[in-house]
């Protein structure tokens, strides 16, 4: 199995349907010069990866996952710490709202590494037409952000990362309004 196939397997196992792309769309995104997949190795074994977007004044971590065989062994923390030390840009990532024990633990993991959970309403647009938008929170490193900076980041993510996805969000809103008899 080549490196991309291994990463794709981790990706498929780590994220719910509404929080990931299909293979065809993922291959298109790989051509974007601002998008990077960073594999993590331990003794020549792929243990995880990070998918990032290099955007004007910040780096967006879109996906971060460890192979399920290596979770809970400190690799995720080590690799993220190393990444954070190598950049001077603000780091942004999305997390689920703290409504489950897993979501709470995930937020605490990032907070231990210096991330801040920002209190602003945020929705990840759906990647594809048959997927649902996901209400999430934005976490930032090394400091919290103002409402104005949040809006800039949100606009940039919607335009650069989810550009085609916003079409599905708008279509869904129009359909929902029409079902209610609204124009």
């Amino acid at each position: 199995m080549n490196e991309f196939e291994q990463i794709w397997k981790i990706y498929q196992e780590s994220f719910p349907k509404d929080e990931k792309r299909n293979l065809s769309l993922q291959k298109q995104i790989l051509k974007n010069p601002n998008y990077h997949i960073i594999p993590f190795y331990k003794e020549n074994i792929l243990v995880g990866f990070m998918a990032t977007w290099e955007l004007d004044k910040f780096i967006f971590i879109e996906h971060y996952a460890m192979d399920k065989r290596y979770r809970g062994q400190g690799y995720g923390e080590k690799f993220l710490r190393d990444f954070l030390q190598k950049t001077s840009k603000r780091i942004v990532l999305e997390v689920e709202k703290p409504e489950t024990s897993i979501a709470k633990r995930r937020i605490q993991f990032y907070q231990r590494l210096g991330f801040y959970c920002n209190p602003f309403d945020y929705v990840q647009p759906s990647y594809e037409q048959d997927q649902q938008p996901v209400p999430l929170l934005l976490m930032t490193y090394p400091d919290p952000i103002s409402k104005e900076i949040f809006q800039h980041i949100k606009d940039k993510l919607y335009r650069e990362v989810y550009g085609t996805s916003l079409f599905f969000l708008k279509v869904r809103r129009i359909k929902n309004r029409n079902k209610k008899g609204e124009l």
Side-chain angles (χ1 to χ4, degrees):
M1 191 180 310
N2 70 33
E3 183 180 68
F4 179 79
E5 290 170 339
Q6 291 176 60
I7 289 171
W8 186 252
K9 184 176 187 286
I10 295 169
Y11 178 78
Q12 290 298 323
E13 293 172 347
S14 300
F15 298 97
K17 178 186 180 230
D18 290 333
E19 296 179 30
K20 61 187 175 187
R21 294 181 183 88
N22 67 41
L23 184 58
S24 174
L25 190 52
Q26 183 62 42
K27 286 183 176 180
Q28 288 176 10
I29 295 297
L30 287 170
K31 297 173 187 172
N32 188 310
N34 296 325
Y35 182 79
H36 309 280
I37 293 181
I38 305 165
F40 300 119
Y41 285 91
K42 171 79 168 130
E43 299 172 4
N44 296 323
I45 297 171
L46 180 76
V47 297
F49 76 95
M50 180 185 299
T52 66
W53 289 83
E54 186 88 24
L55 303 169
D56 59 11
K57 297 178 182 173
F58 67 96
I59 296 172
F60 173 56
I61 300 175
E62 183 178 23
H63 292 101
Y64 184 58
M66 294 293 121
D67 184 306
K68 61 185 174 186
R69 297 171 294 180
Y70 299 101
R71 291 181 190 153
Q73 299 178 36
Y75 295 122
E77 183 174 337
K78 179 199 178 314
F79 294 130
L80 189 51
R81 263 191 214 288
D82 290 347
F83 179 79
L84 295 173
Q85 289 175 354
K86 293 176 185 174
T87 185
S88 59
K89 284 188 168 186
R90 172 178 281 125
I91 307 296
V92 176
L93 55 82
E94 301 164 332
V95 291
E96 294 170 349
K97 292 185 175 191
E99 297 169 348
T100 66
S101 60
I102 292 171
K104 289 175 187 172
R105 284 197 316 265
R106 190 170 294 120
I107 289 170
Q108 291 168 352
F109 167 79
Y110 290 120
Q111 286 173 328
R112 282 194 308 272
L113 292 168
F115 281 83
Y116 290 85
C117 199
N118 297 283
F120 312 113
D121 288 334
Y122 176 81
V123 174
Q124 176 195 52
S126 55
Y127 284 107
E128 300 180 50
Q129 191 169 4
D130 66 335
Q131 294 176 324
Q132 296 299 310
V134 182
L136 299 171
L137 295 171
L138 288 185
M139 294 189 78
T140 53
Y141 174 92
D143 49 22
I145 54 175
S146 67
K147 182 71 172 172
E148 293 77 26
I149 293 173
F150 166 79
Q151 193 61 51
H152 168 78
I153 289 171
K154 178 182 168 185
D155 292 346
K156 193 79 170 168
L157 292 176
Y158 277 20
R159 198 171 41 258
E160 305 278 331
V161 176
Y162 301 110
T164 57
S165 302
L166 286 176
F167 171 76
F168 300 127
L169 186 60
K170 289 175 185 172
V171 167
R172 189 173 290 113
R173 283 184 183 151
I174 290 168
K175 285 181 180 178
N176 287 341
R177 275 192 238 137
N178 287 341
K179 284 180 186 176
K180 296 176 186 176
E182 300 172 13
L183 293 177

